[in-house]
Amino acid sequence: MSKNNYVIIMAGGVGTRFWPFSRTSNPKQFHDVLGTGRTLLQQTADRFDGICPPENIYVVTSAEYRDLVKQQLPQLSYDQILLEPARRNTAPCIAYAAYKIAHKDPHANLVIAPADHIILKEEAFRADIQKALKATTETNKIVTLGIKPSRPDTGYGYIQFIPKDGEEVLKVKTFTEKPNLEYAKSFIESGDYVWNAGIFVWNAQTVTQNFLQYLPDIAEAFEDGKPFYFTTEESTYIDKAYSWCKSISIDVGIMEKADKAGDVYVVLSDFGWSDLGTWKSLYEVSDKDEHENVIDGSVMLYDTKNCIIKTPKDRLIAINGLDGFIVAEYDNVLLICRKDDEQKVKEFVNDAKNKGDEFV
């Protein structure tokens, strides 16, 4: 384990598609979704044990979640909890953490990871991260992890790679963000596309060079923050820096441009990954009963199959005659929706805002 290895965990999202379980005041990354006794954020931090020293783990989150992060990861100092004053997508989030760490350690080698993903094979995950870190230690490579697709899913980004026998780190040809179904099917058939897991590895110098080249306004905002990092004036400066930043993802802002320059690579991975973006994705990775139901709660089922049911354990629920439904209750909100209609959840959330902030 190198003292120059760092992990940046992105934990500022709300997870709207996982409503009503994921709420503005308590998003899904702070919940024990799988019933393991550890929240998604805690599991994310746990899986980097042995990758970097504990003091080299940084969490970027919204200012309103500082206490939740500290409560769940008490080993972190407040300097390791970076607070965003506004949500500006992933590029400013990554820039803030990377520029702050680079100021402390110019030789830093950085892993960027979302806080709300499920990874079932953690040893395989660590092995792939080590491959990526080895590739980026002394080069300007940007390495991402690519997941072999199991279906033509339109909710994921895709990475096209250039096969090369004997190589574990392969050159990326193209990034495609959430294609339509026809394209997704053709990607699967071609055999040279993988899902983009949203996990990136690159060293600090490569990060700053790419921001300077492709997102110079964001680069300037966080480069100018050097005198304030690790001081009492940091939060005041960051408030200003975010007001200068546009909202843009790292994929659109850098990856889709850097791949054309030949600087992006991928490690083909198989470690039981899900981005847990929706109820259906939780259903797919969860244990099921003999009728293909996923159950978390005190539930009595009759003539019910292919459902995911997550309700409070202190409330008894009786369900009869459902096939392929989501039944989810949390904090005074009950959702009953066909699994195939789960994309309507965002619509439900927008309508719930009119009923009161406490429901979203």
Side-chain angles (χ1 to χ4, degrees):
M1 176 171 59
S2 169
K3 64 181 177 60
N4 299 119
N5 289 348
Y6 291 78
V7 172
I8 299 167
I9 300 174
M10 299 180 290
V14 176
T16 303
R17 291 179 296 169
F18 212 58
W19 181 84
F21 192 64
S22 185
R23 308 281 271 276
T24 302
S25 61
N26 196 9
K28 63 179 177 178
Q29 60 267 29
F30 301 111
H31 289 268
D32 176 12
V33 173
L34 295 180
T36 63
R38 301 286 281 172
T39 67
L40 292 175
L41 174 63
Q42 290 171 325
Q43 289 183 53
T44 302
D46 293 346
R47 71 175 61 106
F48 287 103
D49 184 34
I51 298 292
C52 75
E55 63 271 19
N56 287 5
I57 292 180
Y58 287 73
V59 175
V60 189
T61 191
S62 295
E64 62 201 286
Y65 305 141
R66 185 189 76 156
D67 292 342
L68 272 172
V69 173
K70 185 63 174 175
Q71 178 186 342
Q72 295 193 5
L73 299 176
Q75 69 271 28
L76 299 189
S77 70
Y78 282 111
D79 268 334
Q80 292 170 264
I81 304 173
L82 281 58
L83 304 178
E84 295 186 286
R87 293 183 177 90
R88 291 286 189 269
N89 215 314
T90 52
C93 161
I94 291 168
Y96 176 18
Y99 275 86
K100 177 172 178 172
I101 293 169
H103 177 61
K104 174 186 177 182
D105 181 358
H107 302 291
N109 211 8
L110 309 173
V111 181
I112 318 292
D116 55 358
H117 289 189
I118 289 175
I119 290 171
L120 301 176
K121 305 173 187 176
E122 296 203 336
E123 287 306 315
F125 170 78
R126 291 188 185 99
D128 286 344
I129 290 292
Q130 294 287 17
K131 291 175 190 174
L133 285 165
K134 182 179 179 182
T136 59
T137 300
E138 301 293 342
T139 72
N140 63 351
K141 291 178 179 176
I142 304 170
V143 180
T144 185
L145 302 187
I147 310 299
K148 183 178 180 181
S150 58
R151 61 188 182 278
D153 198 306
T154 59
Y156 294 147
Y158 286 74
I159 299 169
Q160 185 183 23
F161 61 91
I162 301 173
K164 190 172 183 180
D165 290 342
E167 294 290 331
E168 293 184 316
V169 182
L170 302 174
K171 189 178 283 273
V172 167
K173 188 173 182 180
T174 59
F175 275 85
T176 303
E177 186 66 16
K178 296 181 180 179
N180 62 34
L181 185 59
E182 184 179 347
Y183 275 114
K185 287 179 178 177
S186 69
F187 291 167
I188 301 295
E189 291 167 1
S190 74
D192 58 357
Y193 282 82
V194 287
W195 285 336
N196 179 6
I199 300 168
F200 304 102
V201 182
W202 44 1
N203 65 53
Q205 299 305 314
T206 301
V207 175
T208 54
Q209 287 167 10
N210 276 271
F211 270 97
L212 189 60
Q213 183 173 356
Y214 301 117
L215 293 172
D217 291 347
I218 293 177
E220 182 179 359
F222 293 102
E223 179 71 28
D224 289 350
K226 281 184 176 181
F228 308 104
Y229 296 137
F230 300 98
T231 75
T232 57
E233 299 174 76
E234 180 176 332
S235 63
T236 301
Y237 179 80
I238 291 301
D239 287 350
K240 294 179 184 177
Y242 267 73
S243 71
W244 303 328
C245 292
K246 60 185 174 182
S247 178
I248 187 169
S249 72
I250 198 73
D251 299 87
V252 172
I254 290 181
M255 297 302 162
E256 291 180 1
K257 299 167 184 172
D259 69 353
K260 294 179 177 62
D263 295 330
V264 186
Y265 293 75
V266 63
V267 173
L268 305 186
S269 301
D270 178 14
F271 41 67
W273 173 86
S274 171
D275 77 340
L276 201 65
T278 64
W279 284 106
K280 201 170 183 179
S281 62
L282 176 60
Y283 175 83
E284 288 166 354
V285 300
S286 298
D287 293 333
K288 300 168 182 65
D289 69 9
E290 66 272 23
H291 301 295
E292 296 298 304
N293 295 305
V294 174
I295 304 167
D296 184 359
S298 300
V299 181
M300 300 187 301
L301 298 182
Y302 306 90
D303 189 27
T304 292
K305 59 186 178 181
N306 305 313
C307 291
I308 178 166
I309 301 157
K310 192 172 182 66
T311 56
K313 290 181 170 54
D314 60 356
R315 183 191 293 270
L316 180 63
I317 308 292
I319 297 174
N320 179 68
L322 292 187
D323 182 357
F325 272 77
I326 303 161
V327 180
E329 182 183 359
Y330 183 77
D331 196 17
N332 293 323
V333 177
L334 171 64
L335 168 71
I336 302 173
C337 175
R338 292 186 183 277
K339 286 204 314 254
D340 289 343
D341 292 336
E342 67 172 359
Q343 295 304 321
K344 291 185 177 179
V345 171
K346 281 193 172 184
E347 179 184 333
F348 302 157
V349 173
N350 288 333
D351 291 342
K353 290 176 182 176
N354 297 324
K355 302 292 185 181
D357 291 344
E358 69 270 24
F359 299 119
V360 293

